[in-house]
């Protein structure tokens, strides 16, 4: 089994307005921390606003793989009114993820359509994933669905049920 740490979580700060996520330097520090502790990979959140070339170079230099990162629009899974936006943002995230050698993009359902029934939300998720599958397959990336606490999913089992369909 390959273990990794989420560099964003390790270096998040709390400011007056809530979490302050690390910049490029913070991600690279996360890579160094992973290396120092015998890990061979990290995960990271946002691809936006970071120097992806520096991150890619640091990963190669340190021998640290970026195992997963969060796709732009990740939280839109489960809202049929936002499926088009999710597909567009995912499509934009793919080349950025590949630029840093990351072949896994994370989605979640934090901002699902709360006015819909559970069955309707799941149907929206299935529709979105069916639309993302050909993009992911063509680009050689894997879509990961993360069952976040506080989002739509109440258990990992529920998320596994979605993937089985």
């Amino acid at each position: 089994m390959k273990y990794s740490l989420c560099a964003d979580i390790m270096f998040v700060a709390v400011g007056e307005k809530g979490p302050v996520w690390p910049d490029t330097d913070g991600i690279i520090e996360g890579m160094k921390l992973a290396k120092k502790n015998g890990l061979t990979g990290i995960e990271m959140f946002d691809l936006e606003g970071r120097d992806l070339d520096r991150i890619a170079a640091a990963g190669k230099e340190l021998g640290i793989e970026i195992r997963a990162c969060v796709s732009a629009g990740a939280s839109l899974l489960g809202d049929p009114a936002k499926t088009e936006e999710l597909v567009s943002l995912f499509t934009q995230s793919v080349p950025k993820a590949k630029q840093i050698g990351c072949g896994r993009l994370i989605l979640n359902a934090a901002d699902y359509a709360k006015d819909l029934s559970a069955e309707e939300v799941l149907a929206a998720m299935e529709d979105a994933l069916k639309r993302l599958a050909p993009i992911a397959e063509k680009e050689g990336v894997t879509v990961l669905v993360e069952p976040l606490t506080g989002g739509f999913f109440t258990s990992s089992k529920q998320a596994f049920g979605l993937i089985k369909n």
Side-chain angles (χ1 to χ4, degrees), residues 55-69:
I55 291 170
K60 286 180 185 176
E61 179 184 325
L62 295 166
I64 295 293
E65 176 186 10
I66 300 171
R67 296 213 171 103
C69 53

Side-chain angles (χ1 to χ4, degrees), residues 138-159:
K138 177 184 175 210
E139 296 294 336
V141 298
T142 301
V143 177
L144 305 174
V145 177
E146 184 174 32
L148 291 176
T149 303
F152 173 78
F153 297 108
T154 57
S155 70
S156 294
K157 181 178 180 182
Q158 187 183 23

Side-chain angles (χ1 to χ4, degrees), residues 71-79 82-94 105-108 124-145 162-163:
S71 174
S75 65
L76 303 178
L77 185 65
D79 186 340
K82 296 182 179 174
T83 298
E84 290 296 326
E85 183 180 0
L86 171 61
V87 171
S88 175
L89 291 169
F90 178 86
T91 302
Q92 293 170 38
S93 291
V94 169
L105 286 165
I106 300 169
L107 302 177
N108 62 63
M125 288 181 189
E126 288 178 22
D127 175 59
L129 292 171
K130 285 177 182 174
R131 299 211 25 224
L132 294 174
I135 299 164
E137 187 174 356
K138 177 184 175 210
E139 296 294 336
V141 298
T142 301
V143 177
L144 305 174
V145 177
L162 171 67
I163 301 303

Side-chain angles (χ1 to χ4, degrees), residues 24 28 31 51-64 66 99-101:
T24 300
I28 293 170
M31 291 176 167
D51 185 334
L52 301 180
D53 288 332
R54 278 187 59 214
I55 291 170
K60 286 180 185 176
E61 179 184 325
L62 295 166
I64 295 293
I66 300 171
Q99 182 179 347
I100 58 173

